[in-house]
Amino acid sequence: MMIKEWFTAAELAGKIGMPARATNVTRKAKSQNWEYRQITGLRGVNFEYHASSLPQETQEALGLEGVSKPIQAEKNDSGMVTIQIYSAKAKTWSKAKPEAHMVLPKGYLPKPLSEQELSNLFALEAPDSTMQPTINVGEVVLVSRVANKTAISTGVFVIETNMGITIKRLKPNLAGTEIKVCCDSDKFDDETLKREDFDKSIRLVGKVTKSFLKEIS
């Protein structure tokens, strides 16, 4: 008989050792870095959590104490990809560390990627409201790492400034000598910098892909 090992937040809510509400289960899962995977076939992005990540009393209540970690997360089989999720709470990217990870079907990615391109992927929680309504605070975006002083094409980038880590839309002029740093929210002002000033004051971290993941918390 197949044993159920993956559970949604709604299924776990109210169980022994679990919060009463599903939203609080997802917060607990995130804070404790539980093993999770995307549920396909449902509207939006949804996740379920593996029994091996649950508190022992919850595992016991489910009759699953001592269950092993999921094979697909360990082997990262060819149809799936593991994405590390970073928080933008760190003031500098060098101090940013992954706080969780997710396992996604490769078909969810915006295009087929080589192994090298896959290794450059990470996810980031949007730290502020400067890109609303395109990206809301707390939404998780897929990002491809780029070299710090790479040639910039128009797009949405994760950058580091003296204020911390943020996400902005960059628009270089045709000659590449000036770069407009834009906020999609009309509550914030845009700024145009000469390329040399941009390189001195802003560090490129990665380029956001076209696929956006809904907030997990």
Side-chain angles (χ1 to χ4, degrees), residues 1-64:
M1 180 178 68
M2 182 176 293
I3 299 174
K4 179 177 174 65
E5 296 184 3
W6 294 93
F7 300 87
T8 64
E11 290 172 325
L12 292 170
K15 295 289 191 298
I16 296 174
M18 288 289 105
R21 299 181 60 182
T23 52
N24 290 332
V25 173
T26 57
R27 290 189 179 96
K28 184 180 181 72
K30 180 181 174 183
S31 68
Q32 296 182 359
N33 195 20
W34 290 0
E35 199 81 56
Y36 63 96
R37 68 183 183 185
Q38 183 188 6
I39 306 171
T40 59
L42 296 179
R43 184 177 180 181
V45 178
N46 299 272
F47 299 96
E48 55 186 4
Y49 305 97
H50 194 259
S52 63
S53 295
L54 305 179
Q56 184 175 351
E57 57 184 337
T58 307
Q59 292 185 34
E60 291 175 354
L62 295 170
L64 294 171

Side-chain angles (χ1 to χ4, degrees), residues 181-195:
V181 183
C182 304
C183 302
D184 283 7
S185 171
D186 57 11
K187 295 180 180 180
F188 299 89
D189 295 328
D190 298 336
E191 182 181 14
T192 299
L193 298 172
K194 293 186 180 299
R195 179 65 202 239

Side-chain angles (χ1 to χ4, degrees), residues 128-138 183-188:
D128 52 49
S129 60
T130 58
M131 288 298 291
Q132 287 180 324
T134 308
I135 306 172
N136 295 311
V137 178
C183 302
D184 283 7
S185 171
D186 57 11
K187 295 180 180 180
F188 299 89

Side-chain angles (χ1 to χ4, degrees), residues 112-127:
L113 300 175
S114 67
E115 289 302 315
Q116 180 60 46
E117 289 173 320
L118 286 174
S119 68
N120 284 332
L121 278 182
F122 67 94
L124 179 75
E125 287 186 339

Side-chain angles (χ1 to χ4, degrees), residues 36-37 82 100 120 124 139 154 170 178-179 183 187 213:
Y36 63 96
R37 68 183 183 185
T82 299
N120 284 332
L124 179 75
E139 281 190 345
T154 298
L170 303 182
E178 291 185 343
I179 299 171
C183 302
K187 295 180 180 180
L213 302 177

Side-chain angles (χ1 to χ4, degrees), residues 129-194:
S129 60
T130 58
M131 288 298 291
Q132 287 180 324
T134 308
I135 306 172
N136 295 311
V137 178
E139 281 190 345
V140 178
V141 295
L142 284 175
V143 186
S144 180
R145 291 181 178 84
V146 296
N148 182 31
K149 294 185 179 181
T150 188
I152 299 174
S153 58
T154 298
V156 179
F157 288 80
V158 176
I159 62 174
E160 178 188 318
T161 72
N162 59 2
M163 300 296 292
I165 300 166
T166 187
I167 301 174
K168 294 290 184 287
R169 189 178 301 278
L170 303 182
K171 297 180 179 180
N173 63 3
L174 289 177
T177 56
E178 291 185 343
I179 299 171
K180 190 174 183 180
V181 183
C182 304
C183 302
D184 283 7
S185 171
D186 57 11
K187 295 180 180 180
F188 299 89
D189 295 328
D190 298 336
E191 182 181 14
T192 299
L193 298 172
K194 293 186 180 299

